[in-house]
């Protein structure tokens, strides 16, 4: 596609439910990143992949959060047993293989609201 | 952990005025990045700085990489209404993990 896409754009769920957020990177982009952005804050790094390999997951808040990219393209961020504090905008970004770290292109985000 | 501190948090200016904002870090960065985020959109890269002391322009935007490598400045000249948004500084930390500041919100008064 022309840009990074994310789905759903909005997700409302009840506390305790699991949610899966999807990211479809720009075609050909090797690296894929997940960020969380709370209202009024900058994006906070969660994890990233090169191809299908998860390179760094140090930003995942706890073990309820996990991510995968099984075929090196689409990625899914899963939050189990959601809590109200998980409510935020979740953003995905992808990077061209020949670019250095800064050439990331961000998607529109998924806004998650946990009731 | 690593932190980037941006100031000011918010700015209210008249159209046509120049804008200056900065970003500081407790640690050295080898690259400084400036992003702009508009409502409902993701951050978009404006300027990347790679060398201490470097001064780089992108249209009406000018950014500088501080010589200590712990700070950076972004200036916008002759502001226009479409400059409204949140400006984030960011820097790569440990390979490609990018850390963002909390942003400077730019408002332009009619």
């Amino acid at each position: 596609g022309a840009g990074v896409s994310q789905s759903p754009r909005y997700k409302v769920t009840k506390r305790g439910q699991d949610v899966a957020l999807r990211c479809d990177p720009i075609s050909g982009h090797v690296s894929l990143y997940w960020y969380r952005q709370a209202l009024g804050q900058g994006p906070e790094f969660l994890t990233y992949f090169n191809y299908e390999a998860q390179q760094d997951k140090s930003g995942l808040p706890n073990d309820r959060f996990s991510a995968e990219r099984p075929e090196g393209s689409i990625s899914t961020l899963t939050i189990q047993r959601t809590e109200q504090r998980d409510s935020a905008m979740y953003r995905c970004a992808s990077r061209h293989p020949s670019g250095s770290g800064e050439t990331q292109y961000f998607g529109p985000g998924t806004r998650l609201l946990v009731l | 952990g690593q932190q980037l501190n941006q100031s000011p948090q918010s700015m209210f200016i008249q159209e046509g005025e120049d804008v200056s904002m900065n970003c500081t870090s407790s640690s050295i960065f080898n690259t400084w990045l400036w992003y702009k985020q508009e409502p409902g959109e993701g951050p978009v890269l404006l300027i990347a700085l790679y060398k201490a002391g470097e001064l780089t322009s992108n249209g009406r935007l000018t950014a500088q990489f501080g010589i200590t490598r712990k700070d950076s400045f972004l200036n916008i000249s002759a502001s226009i209404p479409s400059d409204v948004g949140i400006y984030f500084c960011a820097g790569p930390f440990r390979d490609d993990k990018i850390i963002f500041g909390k942003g400077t919100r730019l408002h332009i008064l009619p």
Side-chain angles (χ1 to χ4, degrees):
Chain A
V4 178
S5 60
Q6 293 185 244
S7 61
R9 292 293 305 274
Y10 302 91
K11 178 70 177 177
V12 181
T13 189
K14 291 183 179 179
R15 186 177 53 189
Q17 297 294 307
D18 298 349
V19 296
L21 311 180
R22 171 180 166 137
C23 173
D24 199 342
I26 294 173
S27 178
H29 279 199
V30 166
S31 302
L32 184 150
Y33 299 76
W34 283 101
Y35 293 88
R36 179 170 68 176
Q37 189 171 16
L39 200 61
Q41 303 292 319
E44 173 194 13
F45 173 86
L46 295 178
T47 186
Y48 89 98
F49 295 82
N50 282 339
Y51 298 101
E52 72 281 0
Q54 192 169 18
Q55 299 294 317
D56 186 331
K57 56 181 181 179
S58 61
L60 296 176
N62 50 60
D63 60 7
R64 295 186 296 106
F65 288 72
S66 63
E68 62 175 9
R69 194 186 186 197
E71 298 179 358
S73 179
I74 293 169
S75 177
T76 302
L77 177 69
T78 301
I79 309 173
Q80 296 178 311
R81 305 180 302 281
T82 52
E83 301 177 3
Q84 288 183 330
R85 59 177 173 160
D86 299 334
S87 297
M89 175 72 83
Y90 289 83
R91 296 198 184 275
C92 172
S94 70
R95 178 171 70 89
H96 189 275
S98 63
S100 54
E102 69 278 6
T103 51
Q104 294 185 341
Y105 296 88
F106 281 83
T110 293
R111 185 169 293 283
L112 174 66
L113 177 60
V114 182
L115 302 177
Chain B
Q2 297 296 318
Q3 284 190 332
L4 295 177
N5 301 305
Q6 289 190 246
S7 64
Q9 290 186 339
S10 295
M11 301 183 72
F12 292 83
I13 63 168
Q14 298 283 346
E15 182 178 350
E17 288 185 7
D18 296 344
V19 172
S20 183
M21 60 189 78
N22 70 359
C23 183
T24 60
S25 169
S26 57
S27 301
I28 288 173
F29 279 80
N30 293 317
T31 300
W32 283 94
L33 312 169
W34 285 94
Y35 286 82
K36 180 187 178 186
Q37 185 172 6
E38 298 185 4
E41 303 294 329
V44 175
L45 182 67
L46 298 174
I47 292 179
L49 302 159
Y50 303 103
K51 186 177 178 181
E54 178 182 355
L55 186 71
T56 297
S57 294
N58 178 6
R60 293 178 296 105
L61 277 62
T62 302
Q64 184 161 23
F65 192 145
I67 57 173
T68 66
R69 295 197 284 162
K70 292 185 177 182
D71 60 359
S72 179
F73 303 86
L74 176 69
N75 296 319
I76 306 172
S77 62
S79 59
I80 60 177
S82 62
D83 291 334
V84 166
I86 306 175
Y87 292 81
F88 293 105
C89 65
F93 173 68
R94 284 216 309 264
D95 298 330
D96 291 330
K97 174 181 174 179
I98 294 186
I99 297 171
F100 285 78
K102 292 186 177 181
T104 292
R105 285 148 191 78
L106 180 61
H107 306 270
I108 296 182
L109 302 171

